[in-house]
Amino acid sequence: MTITSEHVGPSIAENLRTILTEESGEVIAVGFDEESTGELVKILAESEEPPNVRLLVREGVLKWLRDDFVLASTAAELLEAETLELRAATERLDRTLLVTEETVVSLLIPDDEHSAALVTDDEEFVAAVRERWSGVWDDGEAFDLRTPVYSRVLDSLGEEFNSAMESDFRTVLESVEDMDDGGELDEVGLSLLVAAKHEQLLYDISKWGEDVGVASKATFSRTKTHFEEQGLLETEKVPIDVGRPRLRLLLGEERLREAEAEELANVARDLLSAAPA
């Protein structure tokens, strides 16, 4: 059996990218942690011809993925394209592996600055490992991300409102992805801030959010109330022909009103952290 360590890099992301760009068949990814799972999703999304990956991990990792809207909605896109499949393992996973059609890759992550991939291409060994983990995959439990597809969220925002709102929402999501801790700034809060930047109606943005699967109207309403209490949002009544007036969303702080889209989330986080509990 031949084992090599030709894939050695400063990060798990670099090693995954190196390995996956060479693959075109079906890959079983076993035992990934949160960081590795996030990198895997990003790499598959960026690839022009990604392999088909079956990701078998602890349920806790999949719950973590579901809580990150950008990653989860990107994963949902990969699921729809049949590039990615997800299952929660029903037995303990004590190693991190990539099992391709011709190799078994053991991923080693001793610390935050080092990563290595030990590779074997022995046909008999690869076949045995693939059979073993295919069986564990079959016994795994399906997991529902309950998250809309990323491109559909953005496209529908542009269709319901305008391209400027779509562009700003994309920019704000990307800026939060780069923040160490988004805190209270989830997809609902960010939607409301972008809607307020464009002075849209609460009814319209919450209906959009419910229709596309971001969150319920009630969740939008609760978040709006919280942001009002913290001074991030203001509202003004807009009369309609029949029924109660609707509420137009406005940014409540001068710093927010002056902020560009890429700064909006960071300013909002600062204001939330400074607000009294």
Side-chain angles (χ1 to χ4, degrees), residues 70-211:
V70 174
L71 277 178
S73 57
T74 302
E77 191 136 24
L78 295 170
L79 289 167
E80 187 171 87
E82 299 183 349
T83 298
L84 179 67
E85 295 180 69
L86 303 175
R87 287 196 183 175
T90 54
E91 64 178 68
R92 180 175 176 176
L93 304 176
D94 55 4
R95 64 197 68 192
T96 304
L97 300 174
L98 281 174
V99 185
T100 76
E101 294 179 351
E102 297 180 351
T103 63
V104 174
V105 184
S106 180
L107 295 168
L108 307 178
I109 313 170
D111 54 47
D112 293 338
E113 298 180 356
H114 300 89
S115 173
L118 302 181
V119 185
T120 178
D121 58 4
D122 181 87
E123 291 185 13
E124 184 176 348
F125 180 77
V126 171
V129 173
R130 192 167 182 87
E131 181 179 3
R132 148 76 172 149
W133 289 109
S134 293
V136 179
W137 168 267
D138 290 340
D139 292 337
E141 296 180 349
F143 185 85
D144 187 0
L145 282 177
R146 301 200 303 266
T147 307
V149 172
Y150 186 70
S151 62
R152 191 174 301 144
V153 171
L154 294 174
D155 290 347
S156 65
L157 194 64
E159 291 166 3
E160 289 294 323
F161 298 95
N162 53 60
S163 59
M165 268 191 67
E166 176 188 346
S167 176
D168 281 353
F169 188 54
R170 184 194 303 270
T171 299
V172 171
L173 285 176
E174 290 172 353
S175 71
V176 170
E177 193 176 11
D178 294 334
M179 289 163 55
D180 292 335
D181 178 18
E184 301 172 73
L185 295 175
D186 61 9
E187 58 275 14
V188 176
L190 296 175
S191 302
L192 290 169
L193 289 173
V194 172
K197 177 178 172 62
H198 291 265
E199 299 187 356
Q200 298 292 337
L201 299 180
L202 172 64
Y203 175 86
D204 291 340
I205 193 67
S206 59
K207 183 177 186 304
W208 163 81
E210 187 166 76
D211 289 347

Side-chain angles (χ1 to χ4, degrees), residues 244-262:
R244 297 169 56 188
R246 293 190 173 156
L247 299 177
R248 186 179 307 283
L249 295 168
L250 304 169
L251 293 172
E253 284 276 350
E254 188 66 25
R255 286 178 60 195
L256 287 172
R257 292 192 287 269
E258 294 176 351
E260 299 294 332
E262 59 268 19

Side-chain angles (χ1 to χ4, degrees), residues 192 216-229:
L192 290 169
S216 67
K217 289 181 181 178
T219 300
F220 273 85
S221 181
R222 285 194 298 270
T223 303
K224 184 272 299 181
T225 299
H226 175 61
F227 278 12
E228 271 190 304
E229 292 171 348

